[in-house]
Amino acid sequence: MKSFLFRLYLMAMKLIARFTPIQNNKVVVLNGAGRSGSNGYLFGKYLQKNHPEYEVTIVEPWPSSHLPLKTWRKIGAAKFVFTTHQPFKVHARQVNIQFWHGIPLKRMGFMANNTSSKVDQRNAKLWQKNADIVCSSSDLYESLMSACCGIESNKYHKTGFPRIDALKNPVISKKQLLGDLFKTEDDEAQIGIYMPTFRYEMEDSQIMKQVQQGNFLTLFDFNIEQLNNSLKKNHQYLVVKLHPYEMKLFKHLQSDYSNIAFLNNDYLYRQDIDLYQLLGNTAFLITDFSSIYFDYLNIDKPIIFITNYLRQYEEKRGLLMGPYEEIVPGICVKTQQELMQAIARPDRYGAKRRYWLELTNQVQDQSSCANVVQLLKSI
C-alpha cells in the first residue's frame, strides 16, 4: 500500500514539476546512495567546485516524500538528471544519466532468486524509458547490468565512476582517522575497514540477533576482546562500517575497545564527505559479498572475505559469478581465528587483484569526473 501511495505522490509531483522551463545549465543529482560511495554526491560536489558554469542541486535523501515544492521545481528545471538507483526524469526532454551505485556482484532484477517477474519487467521498462546514458567502467560491467536490468548496449558510455576518483585521492588522512575514531597516534598504524553487505535480506532472524548483540562479524567464535588484542599486537585498527539498516540495531554506535571503532553516517555528514574520501587511507578491507571489493582493487590493497553464510546467500538471492571462493582475489575465512590469522599474514593476492581490476575497470588511468563533464558538454 505504501509503495502504491508513493508512486501516486511521484506522479503528482512530476506533473507539477513539468510546468518549470528546462534550463541547459542546470544539473540535479538524485542521491539515493547516501554517503557510502555515492557517485552522485561525489560528482555533484566536483561539479560545484570545478565547473561554476553549471548550477548544481544535490537532492538527498532520494527518493523522499518530504521534498519541498521548490526542490521539485529545481528537478523539473534541470537539463541533466543524475541518478544512483532507478532512472528518473520529469520531462522527456531531460537527459537522465545513470551512475548506479556499484559493480553488481549480487544477483538483481531478472537474475535474482528473490524478485518477482512483474516487478522486474516494470523496472526494465523504467530503464528503457528513462535512462538515456548509463555510465560504465568495463565490458564486464555492461554485461552484468544488462543481464539484470535489460539495458540496451547503445546506452553505455565508458566514463568510469566518480567514486573511484575519490578513492584514489582521499581528503581525510590516516593521522586524522586515527585521532577522530581511535583517539590515538601511531606511526606504525594500519587501518582496516569491515564493510558487510545487506544481511537482512537473508531473512534469518538469528543473524540480525547476533548483530544486535554486538557480534557484527556474525562468526560463531566471535570474541571482541580477543580480536582487539590481536589487532593491538600488530598496530592494526579496525573501522566497522555496517549497512545503514544494521546501524539502526545499535543504540549507541561506539566501541569500548582501543583498536575497534564504529564509523557512522553522522561522522561523514559532519565532515561533509563521502566514505570513499577516506577509504583510500585504509590498509586492508574485510567484506563478505559486498561489491565494494571491486572498487577496492583500484588501490591494490589486501582484501579478506568472510564466507560463513555463502551458501545461504547464494540460495536466497544469488551471486552473478562463481564459484565465489575461487574467483575472489583474497583469503576466504569462516571463523574469527581464521580472520585474525589472515589479517596478520603476508599478502599473496596482488596478481589476482590486478587481473580482476583489468576486467572491471578499463578506464583506470583516467579521471572519471572529467570524463562525465566531457560527456555533458558533448550533448
Side-chain angles (χ1 to χ4, degrees), residues 355-375:
Y355 170 80
W356 280 99
L357 177 60
E358 294 296 325
L359 286 177
T360 54
N361 189 353
Q362 294 173 231
V363 289
Q364 55 190 276
D365 296 324
Q366 303 173 27
S367 165
S368 299
C369 287
N371 285 348
V372 177
V373 171
Q374 187 176 2
L375 180 63

Side-chain angles (χ1 to χ4, degrees), residues 258-294:
S258 62
N259 290 54
I260 299 171
F262 286 99
L263 176 63
N264 58 35
N265 288 333
D266 289 344
Y267 177 81
L268 299 173
Y269 280 96
R270 282 199 307 272
Q271 299 289 336
D272 194 24
I273 61 168
D274 181 274
L275 171 68
Y276 275 48
Q277 292 178 287
L278 61 82
L279 191 59
N281 274 323
T282 59
F284 59 91
L285 167 70
I286 303 171
T287 186
D288 48 6
F289 321 117
S290 171
S291 63
I292 186 178
Y293 89 80
F294 287 126

Side-chain angles (χ1 to χ4, degrees), residues 281-320:
N281 274 323
T282 59
F284 59 91
L285 167 70
I286 303 171
T287 186
D288 48 6
F289 321 117
S290 171
S291 63
I292 186 178
Y293 89 80
F294 287 126
D295 293 343
Y296 208 74
L297 297 172
N298 286 273
I299 55 174
D300 194 22
K301 295 179 181 180
I303 308 170
I304 300 168
F305 298 87
I306 298 177
T307 58
N308 56 323
Y309 286 108
L310 175 59
R311 182 172 298 179
Q312 188 174 348
Y313 206 92
E314 286 178 324
E315 290 174 355
K316 191 66 186 177
R317 178 168 174 175
L319 301 173
L320 286 167

Side-chain angles (χ1 to χ4, degrees), residues 180-199:
D180 289 348
L181 300 183
F182 298 95
K183 312 302 180 190
T184 190
E185 294 183 5
D186 186 346
D187 292 337
E188 299 179 56
Q190 286 187 317
I191 304 174
I193 188 165
Y194 170 59
M195 290 189 64
T197 191
F198 184 36
R199 295 176 286 193

Side-chain angles (χ1 to χ4, degrees), residues 131-364:
D132 299 297
I133 292 170
V134 180
C135 293
S136 163
S137 63
S138 67
D139 294 336
L140 177 61
Y141 176 81
E142 294 168 14
S143 297
L144 296 174
M145 288 294 290
S146 290
C148 294
C149 303
I151 303 168
E152 300 97 326
S153 62
N154 62 355
K155 291 182 182 290
Y156 291 109
H157 289 258
K158 284 186 178 68
T159 60
F161 303 118
R163 63 179 183 268
I164 304 303
D165 289 357
L167 178 63
K168 293 178 179 179
N169 300 284
V171 299
I172 300 291
S173 68
K174 184 174 78 171
K175 182 178 181 179
Q176 183 178 344
L177 267 182
L178 280 172
D180 289 348
L181 300 183
F182 298 95
K183 312 302 180 190
T184 190
E185 294 183 5
D186 186 346
D187 292 337
E188 299 179 56
Q190 286 187 317
I191 304 174
I193 188 165
Y194 170 59
M195 290 189 64
T197 191
F198 184 36
R199 295 176 286 193
Y200 178 74
E201 67 180 338
M202 284 191 280
E203 299 178 2
D204 187 330
S205 60
Q206 290 303 310
I207 294 175
M208 289 299 102
K209 187 176 180 180
Q210 288 180 70
V211 175
Q212 193 167 17
Q213 291 174 344
N215 182 359
F216 52 82
L217 294 172
T218 61
L219 296 173
F220 79 91
D221 61 340
F222 179 74
N223 183 318
I224 193 167
E225 290 185 2
Q226 188 182 62
L227 176 61
N228 188 73
N229 289 337
S230 177
L231 293 166
K232 190 174 182 179
K233 179 182 176 181
N234 296 306
H235 292 270
Q236 293 169 326
Y237 299 80
L238 184 62
V239 177
V240 179
K241 178 67 172 71
L242 299 177
H243 188 277
Y245 178 86
E246 293 182 6
M247 285 195 286
K248 294 177 183 177
L249 300 178
F250 289 82
K251 290 183 179 178
H252 303 289
L253 262 179
Q254 59 185 16
S255 166
D256 296 325
Y257 295 88
S258 62
N259 290 54
I260 299 171
F262 286 99
L263 176 63
N264 58 35
N265 288 333
D266 289 344
Y267 177 81
L268 299 173
Y269 280 96
R270 282 199 307 272
Q271 299 289 336
D272 194 24
I273 61 168
D274 181 274
L275 171 68
Y276 275 48
Q277 292 178 287
L278 61 82
L279 191 59
N281 274 323
T282 59
F284 59 91
L285 167 70
I286 303 171
T287 186
D288 48 6
F289 321 117
S290 171
S291 63
I292 186 178
Y293 89 80
F294 287 126
D295 293 343
Y296 208 74
L297 297 172
N298 286 273
I299 55 174
D300 194 22
K301 295 179 181 180
I303 308 170
I304 300 168
F305 298 87
I306 298 177
T307 58
N308 56 323
Y309 286 108
L310 175 59
R311 182 172 298 179
Q312 188 174 348
Y313 206 92
E314 286 178 324
E315 290 174 355
K316 191 66 186 177
R317 178 168 174 175
L319 301 173
L320 286 167
M321 293 180 286
Y324 187 70
E325 292 175 311
E326 297 297 322
I327 66 168
V328 292
I331 302 172
C332 293
V333 301
K334 293 183 173 68
T335 68
Q336 181 173 298
Q337 289 299 317
E338 292 176 348
L339 175 63
M340 291 188 299
Q341 292 170 11
I343 293 173
R345 192 176 301 168
D347 172 48
R348 296 173 182 160
Y349 286 84
K352 200 169 185 180
R353 288 197 300 271
R354 288 188 288 275
Y355 170 80
W356 280 99
L357 177 60
E358 294 296 325
L359 286 177
T360 54
N361 189 353
Q362 294 173 231
V363 289
Q364 55 190 276

Side-chain angles (χ1 to χ4, degrees), residues 6-7 10 14 28-32 62-63 72 75 80-91 94-101 108 119-135 141 145 148-152 155-156:
F6 185 71
R7 288 204 300 273
L10 281 183
K14 283 171 72 174
V28 70
V29 175
L30 305 180
N31 180 27
W62 174 269
W72 277 106
I75 294 172
F80 302 102
V81 181
F82 287 88
T83 46
T84 61
H85 286 67
Q86 278 191 341
F88 179 90
K89 58 184 180 180
V90 171
H91 304 276
Q94 289 180 310
V95 179
N96 173 259
I97 301 177
Q98 174 60 253
F99 274 140
W100 201 237
H101 51 279
M108 58 183 183
V119 171
D120 294 340
Q121 289 174 14
R122 185 177 73 223
N123 287 337
K125 288 179 180 177
L126 281 174
W127 280 89
Q128 291 163 9
K129 178 183 177 182
N130 289 335
D132 299 297
I133 292 170
V134 180
C135 293
Y141 176 81
M145 288 294 290
C148 294
C149 303
I151 303 168
E152 300 97 326
K155 291 182 182 290
Y156 291 109

Side-chain angles (χ1 to χ4, degrees), residues 97-113:
I97 301 177
Q98 174 60 253
F99 274 140
W100 201 237
H101 51 279
I103 296 173
L105 168 66
K106 297 166 287 192
R107 290 177 177 242
M108 58 183 183
F110 292 119
M111 296 294 290
N113 300 333

